[in-house]
Amino acid sequence: MTPPRTPLPLLFAAGLCLLAGACAAPAARQAVPEIRPGVARGYLQTEQLPDSIALLPPPPAPGSAAFALDEQVNQARTLRGTPRWEQAIADANLQFPEAASIFACAIGTRIDEAGMPRLYGLLRRTRTDAAVVSDAAKHRYNRTRPFVANGEPTCTPDKEAGLAENGSYPSGHTSIGWAWALILAELAPDRSDAILARGRSYGESRLVCNVHWHSDVLSGRFMGSAVVARLHADPQFRRDMDAARAELAAARARAGTAPAGCDAAAAALAQPLPAAAY
């Protein structure tokens, strides 16, 4: 077994917790290598990760046209108190078991460890890869978060102190959510439109939360794509994808009804962002 990498502590402070995986009864619990209890080791070694500094330009400079767009899109924070704001609060939580429900409505079935242990383990491990892939750029640029700049609250006030010390560019939540969207769309191609739409709205929740700029979200999506592309060269990842595909197909065949709460979530996500945002 290769020794685990040592990701920087600030990245864990952002919430290195993993998505709940699914179920396939009766299935044995999937052993997943961990960096520390509850935190899965990714598939990729540090030297195999895409280089976020090489791949991303510097964040928009204050006074630039790009930063003016960031400030315009930041009007999404005015949705505070609406159902879309409540959805953004839910999306901010990457702790288990809550994180397992992120794509449940898009797929049409819940994901839990008991029935889909291989998918659960795959999501846990890729969550780490998709988090640490942005570490270098976050620390290089140490970009100020929008809530620090505008002095208005976020949807997670208990996390503000830690977020203020963690670089805004690129968005780690977006990178993770988009990586998961690409992976799940590959596993359930007939649901790919719904899954990718949910991946997009997941990143947009960071705009609504007032914790990321528009360019942070776009760059996070790019890094999520980069890490998934690299993961496909890893033999263990490909084996786990094959096993997860079979688990998910079996679970979807058994599923009788859509997960609870999907109508309310769809209504919240259908609420348009302010006209200035896009």
Side-chain angles (χ1 to χ4, degrees), residues 36-171:
R36 66 181 191 191
V39 178
R41 191 198 319 160
Y43 290 96
L44 303 177
Q45 298 298 308
T46 301
E47 63 275 11
Q48 296 173 319
L49 288 166
D51 184 349
S52 57
I53 294 175
L55 292 174
L56 297 175
S64 67
F67 187 68
L69 177 60
D70 275 347
E71 291 184 306
Q72 224 181 357
V73 177
N74 187 235
Q75 293 302 308
R77 73 187 190 277
T78 62
L79 291 173
R80 184 166 58 249
T82 70
R84 185 63 182 86
W85 177 267
E86 295 302 316
Q87 183 63 53
I89 293 173
D91 285 349
N93 187 358
L94 283 172
Q95 302 288 331
F96 283 100
E98 292 82 5
S101 66
I102 292 170
F103 288 92
C105 294
I107 297 171
T109 186
R110 296 192 64 81
I111 298 173
D112 61 76
E113 185 179 14
M116 287 181 272
R118 295 295 289 274
L119 178 55
Y120 177 77
L122 181 147
L123 292 172
R124 287 189 65 204
R125 296 190 69 178
T126 55
R127 189 244 185 268
T128 298
D129 290 316
V132 300
V133 73
S134 298
D135 177 78
K138 275 183 171 287
H139 289 276
R140 165 69 67 86
Y141 300 115
N142 195 27
R143 190 185 195 189
T144 300
R145 301 261 180 174
F147 73 90
V148 176
N150 59 41
E152 296 187 23
T154 73
C155 69
T156 53
D158 58 319
K159 300 285 194 294
E160 288 178 9
L163 289 171
E165 297 178 356
N166 181 263
S168 188
Y169 180 89
S171 166

Side-chain angles (χ1 to χ4, degrees), residues 230-243:
R230 178 59 183 84
L231 281 164
H232 277 83
D234 184 84
Q236 186 58 56
F237 172 78
R238 294 197 303 270
R239 287 191 291 270
D240 287 345
M241 284 286 285
D242 289 340

